[in-house]
Amino acid sequence: MFRALYQYNSALPGYLSFRAGDQFTVIKSINKDWFQAQNGLGEIGNVPCNYVKPVQTNGDDVLRFVDGSIQAIHLLAAGEGEGQYSHEQRVALQKLVQHRKDLEKKLLSKAPLERSRSEDVTGLKQARSPSEEMPRRQSERRKAPPPPANVEVQQRHSANHAHAPPPPPSVSSNQVQSPSDMTEALPPPPDAATMEQLNHTLTESDRNYADPTPVNGQPASPTSNHTPSQHIPENNLPSPTGKTDASSSPTKTADLQELLKTVDLPEKIGPELLEEVRKSTGLSFDKSKVAVETVLGYVGFKVPALEGLMDRLLGSLHFGRDISDEDITSHDAKRMSVIFSELTACKDDSQQRSWALHEDEAIIKEYLQELLSILENAKPSICRKVVSRDNYEILHSLVQYYQMEMRGGLCLLLLKVFGAVCALEREVVLQLLYSVLPLELGQELQLHHEDVQRVCYIALVMTMIFSTGDNVSLAVSERFNQEFFLHILNLIENPPTEQFEDGAVDLLISFVLAFNLHLTSVDTNVVLRSLAAFGTPKVFTEHIMVLINRGDDPVKSFDFKPQPPNSVLKLFHDLYADLTTADLLYTNDAKVLMDVIVGRMTNLSPGDEVRSSFLALCQKVVQNSSYSEHCHRSRELQTILQAISVEEADTPDDQRIAMDILSKNPDIFSQG
């Protein structure tokens, strides 16, 4: 470990600025005048050798110091970058991790009694010659580095220390800068009077560091940049965190740590702290958690005596026990209960449809907006608990309220709320699937397609509701009949406006794909019957060709278990399983589909479920469509099928399908 003797300011990239007393670990020696070091705050850069001196430190403390630097980068990325690391942060992390590994190796290679000594002193001695070793006696004074040779620059530094020192002379990629040039670039250290004043201030801070009173009316930290006549004694140097080094008062620090261990923390202080941050700032639950973790982690890093207490507080954030009804006292839970109660009252109001009562629209709108914000930002487990009360009675009340609400703005907000609650859990989706909401939304699609924005939200919510692939009720099967889907296909193929084409067509196609997940029998598949009756839906087929080529599934909105099959692949399987729709695609589209099939079967590994699905689709395309008329890429297909039929992997089903395709279609593959 090294400690700075003087203040050093640099505006050059790759150079560290520091104050007297800041600590470092040396990553590597650049030359006899410069180190590459890290300061425990996640910053890496060059520091001048004659501005720092080695100090003896326990090896474990050195590792903790490096860990603090790594943690600082993680906290900074979590706080400012929302979990995204910049290129500079990733490079710094790689260097710090390697630096820590090097230090651990050195520790393990030492004898047990030697592991308490400074790692960096040993590393420095290995990098420098014996004549360049740092002096061992603390009482021996070092000569401070000379001030800049340029008198004008020196005067400028003396007048205002905040100006950056002149940069070291530039060097080419194959030329190393001379030590004298390096020294000339250094700013002069503090003068003797300031150093003496700083020593007195630091001595006072050992007794009561919390008192920031200036000494003799001057700030505690040195600010002038004149050549010093003495350096700061090691025991009086401030730590890089701005507090007295623990080594100067180990008894006090140990006593404080032991005292803090006896502090009883409330069982739920972590969740309560998150709740206060969320309520006071309006941040989402996830961002509130990041904020609390960042603050607690940073306090523990900057004040080592509090590290144990901060760790206990961090541990309390992960309160594992499930929240019971009695425990739901959070602000979000209370507000959800109030909002649902008010909306239920609106539903129960027999005069709600009266135009005279439409003056309550602003109030209801405010309730719905707040509810939507809570559903999107609050802790999901709390929202699930509130929504699931009384067998999801609240959810069904919202559905009934949507049925009776005539105002378009409120209907849009209700649709957004339905979308938000669908993301909570699979059971919510099933509750809506078996409610009257799908019937209500289907009727609106048929009657009110002129409102593009509402059509978009209805299609999106219906895609979510039908995304699970579960069996639908008889009422839904009767409502979503061939007439209904012919109407949907007509809207897709002949959009009423350009705005409708740009905004609603994709969402309507996603809804059709989602509904098809529920249809297990090809013979009674209403989507297939509608496609066959419509003819060749050009827009629809173009869109699904793009989706299968990209490998996208627009229906997959949630990660609920069990996962349904890929909606796009299922539709193609259904199309080619039925002879009436096997040739629905144009010839060029059919050839593109074969290109996709060949590509997937070539690139995917044996045993991959997606490869098996494309292999089964290939079998249907070859046997049920007019593939024999063009035999597109039959030679490559034959090679792939032969390879699959004899592959060593444990894929008996794939091997059986491949051999079946080859044996039943000898004319096709003999032409290849």
Side-chain angles (χ1 to χ4, degrees):
M1 189 82 77
F2 284 76
R3 180 176 284 127
L5 296 173
Y6 320 109
Q7 178 174 324
Y8 173 60
N9 295 323
S10 175
L12 294 175
Y15 289 77
L16 287 180
S17 298
F18 51 83
R19 296 177 300 176
D22 284 359
Q23 292 179 325
F24 310 92
T25 59
V26 172
I27 296 177
K28 64 179 179 179
S29 177
I30 305 300
N31 53 39
K32 71 186 186 71
D33 294 306
W34 292 88
F35 297 142
Q36 185 182 76
Q38 66 90 17
N39 60 3
L41 300 175
E43 299 173 344
I44 297 176
N46 298 333
V47 299
C49 302
N50 54 354
Y51 268 50
V52 299
K53 71 172 296 182
V55 293
Q56 288 190 354
T57 311
N58 183 279
D60 292 335
D61 291 339
V62 177
L63 292 179
R64 279 195 292 269
F65 188 74
V66 178
D67 290 338
S69 196
I70 295 174
Q71 184 183 15
I73 295 179
H74 290 309
L75 293 175
L76 185 63
E80 296 182 358
E82 298 184 357
Q84 299 295 324
Y85 293 83
S86 66
H87 173 72
E88 292 77 9
Q89 289 171 335
R90 288 194 293 269
V91 172
L93 280 175
Q94 292 175 354
K95 290 184 178 180
L96 289 171
V97 170
Q98 184 60 45
H99 180 42
R100 194 186 193 284
K101 291 180 180 178
D102 296 340
L103 291 176
E104 284 182 319
K105 290 180 181 178
K106 292 179 183 178
L107 276 177
L108 294 175
S109 64
K110 290 184 176 183
L113 293 178
E114 294 177 340
R115 294 182 184 174
S116 62
R117 302 192 181 275
S118 172
E119 286 297 312
D120 297 284
V121 175
T122 302
L124 178 63
K125 289 179 180 178
Q126 294 174 352
R128 303 171 63 170
S129 63
S131 62
E132 297 169 344
E133 290 183 10
M134 305 295 276
R136 293 178 178 273
R137 294 184 301 157
Q138 297 181 7
S139 59
E140 181 180 351
R141 291 187 178 180
R142 295 169 45 108
K143 184 178 180 180
N150 190 318
V151 176
E152 181 182 352
V153 173
Q154 181 179 0
Q155 291 175 348
R156 186 165 65 249
H157 276 286
S158 300
N160 186 358
H161 73 281
H163 288 272
S170 61
V171 295
S172 61
S173 58
N174 56 0
Q175 186 179 14
V176 180
Q177 198 170 357
S178 67
S180 61
D181 291 337
M182 292 286 193
T183 305
E184 289 182 2
L186 299 177
D191 60 15
T194 304
M195 301 299 290
E196 182 179 357
Q197 180 182 356
L198 176 61
N199 291 340
H200 174 71
T201 304
L202 292 175
T203 304
E204 292 296 325
S205 69
D206 283 340
R207 291 192 293 269
N208 185 9
Y209 181 77
D211 184 9
T213 305
V215 180
N216 298 329
Q218 298 295 329
S221 59
T223 58
S224 61
N225 285 322
H226 302 291
T227 305
S229 60
Q230 62 179 356
H231 70 276
I232 305 175
E234 180 183 341
N235 289 339
N236 284 342
L237 288 173
S239 71
T241 59
K243 60 182 182 301
T244 306
D245 185 31
S247 62
S248 64
S249 55
T251 304
K252 293 180 181 179
T253 302
D255 291 344
L256 179 59
Q257 290 175 338
E258 291 299 320
L259 178 62
L260 292 176
K261 289 180 181 179
T262 64
V263 175
D264 291 331
L265 295 178
E267 183 185 22
K268 301 178 184 177
I269 188 172
E272 291 172 356
L273 182 58
L274 286 176
E275 173 67 20
E276 288 300 316
V277 171
R278 167 155 166 67
K279 184 169 65 174
S280 301
T281 63
L283 293 173
S284 68
F285 171 77
D286 292 335
K287 290 185 177 180
S288 298
K289 189 175 181 181
V290 170
V292 173
E293 289 176 342
T294 301
V295 171
L296 295 180
Y298 193 72
V299 171
F301 165 66
K302 298 290 275 186
V303 188
L306 300 178
E307 183 178 4
L309 182 62
M310 296 300 104
D311 288 343
R312 292 170 59 195
L313 287 171
L314 283 169
S316 69
L317 295 178
H318 307 283
F319 186 70
R321 187 166 61 85
D322 190 21
I323 302 175
S324 64
D325 287 337
E326 294 76 23
D327 292 330
I328 301 183
T329 58
S330 71
H331 176 73
D332 289 326
K334 291 178 179 178
R335 289 304 303 161
M336 286 183 71
S337 299
V338 170
I339 294 170
F340 282 131
S341 177
E342 293 296 326
L343 293 177
T344 301
C346 293
K347 174 185 71 73
D348 294 337
D349 187 351
S350 59
Q351 296 181 342
Q352 183 62 33
R353 293 178 181 269
S354 172
W355 63 270
L357 294 181
H358 281 194
E359 61 186 19
D360 64 355
E361 181 173 357
I363 299 175
I364 299 176
K365 181 178 180 180
E366 184 177 346
Y367 279 140
L368 291 174
Q369 288 174 336
E370 183 181 0
L371 176 60
L372 183 62
S373 176
I374 293 174
L375 290 170
E376 292 176 343
N377 297 315
K379 189 176 183 180
S381 60
I382 292 179
C383 296
R384 286 194 292 267
K385 202 70 179 181
V386 175
V387 172
S388 63
R389 283 175 175 171
D390 300 325
N391 198 23
Y392 297 91
E393 178 62 29
I394 291 174
L395 197 60
H396 294 291
S397 294
L398 279 179
V399 173
Q400 294 175 11
Y401 176 59
Y402 181 82
Q403 283 184 281
M404 54 166 285
E405 183 56 71
M406 305 296 293
R407 291 163 285 190
L410 296 182
C411 288
L412 286 178
L413 284 174
L414 283 168
L415 288 171
K416 293 180 181 180
V417 169
F418 288 133
V421 296
C422 282
L424 294 178
E425 60 180 346
R426 189 173 189 273
E427 184 59 33
V428 172
V429 179
L430 295 180
Q431 290 288 332
L432 293 177
L433 176 64
Y434 297 121
S435 70
V436 298
L437 184 61
L439 304 177
E440 187 73 19
L441 297 180
Q443 184 177 9
E444 289 191 23
L445 275 182
Q446 285 184 292
L447 301 178
H448 306 292
H449 58 264
E450 69 282 350
D451 188 342
V452 178
Q453 186 179 22
R454 191 162 177 176
V455 168
C456 290
Y457 279 111
I458 290 174
L460 181 59
V461 171
M462 291 222 293
T463 300
M464 294 179 181
I465 292 175
F466 289 105
S467 65
T468 62
D470 290 88
N471 294 328
V472 297
S473 65
L474 180 60
V476 170
S477 299
E478 293 176 350
R479 163 66 69 179
F480 294 89
N481 52 26
Q482 182 171 325
E483 179 185 356
F484 172 83
F485 279 105
L486 285 173
H487 174 73
I488 298 298
L489 288 173
N490 186 62
L491 291 176
I492 294 173
E493 298 298 320
N494 305 293
T497 64
E498 184 176 348
Q499 182 183 8
F500 191 99
E501 181 179 6
D502 294 337
V505 168
D506 285 339
L507 294 173
L508 288 175
I509 292 174
S510 298
F511 159 63
V512 174
L513 292 171
F515 191 87
N516 187 65
L517 289 174
H518 300 262
L519 307 176
T520 56
S521 174
V522 174
D523 296 333
T524 59
N525 190 315
V526 64
V527 173
L528 298 184
R529 302 283 76 78
S530 302
L531 289 170
F534 193 87
T536 303
K538 182 176 181 293
V539 176
F540 182 84
T541 55
E542 286 177 352
H543 278 69
I544 62 174
M545 285 302 302
V546 170
L547 291 172
I548 197 169
N549 188 37
R550 293 177 178 174
D552 295 340
D553 184 1
V555 175
K556 186 177 180 181
S557 305
F558 316 112
D559 293 325
F560 303 145
K561 303 298 181 182
Q563 279 286 308
N566 183 290
S567 65
V568 181
L569 264 176
K570 182 184 182 301
L571 179 63
F572 274 99
H573 275 277
D574 293 343
L575 286 174
Y576 282 95
D578 190 345
L579 295 177
T580 61
T581 55
D583 288 318
L584 183 71
L585 300 181
Y586 289 107
T587 302
N588 287 337
D589 289 340
K591 290 181 178 180
V592 172
L593 177 61
M594 185 53 66
D595 291 335
V596 175
I597 292 174
V598 169
R600 296 293 192 275
M601 291 170 57
T602 302
N603 298 327
L604 297 176
S605 303
D608 191 313
E609 293 182 0
V610 178
R611 192 194 76 161
S612 300
S613 182
F614 273 98
L615 179 60
L617 176 60
C618 176
Q619 182 183 34
K620 295 175 182 177
V621 171
V622 172
Q623 293 181 358
N624 296 335
S625 72
S626 56
Y627 176 75
S628 59
E629 295 179 3
H630 55 78
C631 297
H632 182 63
R633 301 188 70 172
S634 59
R635 178 175 298 178
E636 295 170 78
L637 183 58
Q638 181 179 3
T639 302
I640 296 171
L641 294 174
Q642 289 173 344
I644 293 176
S645 64
V646 297
E647 63 186 4
E648 296 181 357
D650 186 18
T651 55
D653 291 338
D654 289 1
Q655 293 174 351
R656 178 184 55 79
I657 294 175
M659 289 186 291
D660 185 72
I661 297 173
L662 292 171
S663 62
K664 291 184 178 180
N665 302 277
D667 295 339
I668 293 178
F669 298 107
S670 64
Q671 295 177 22

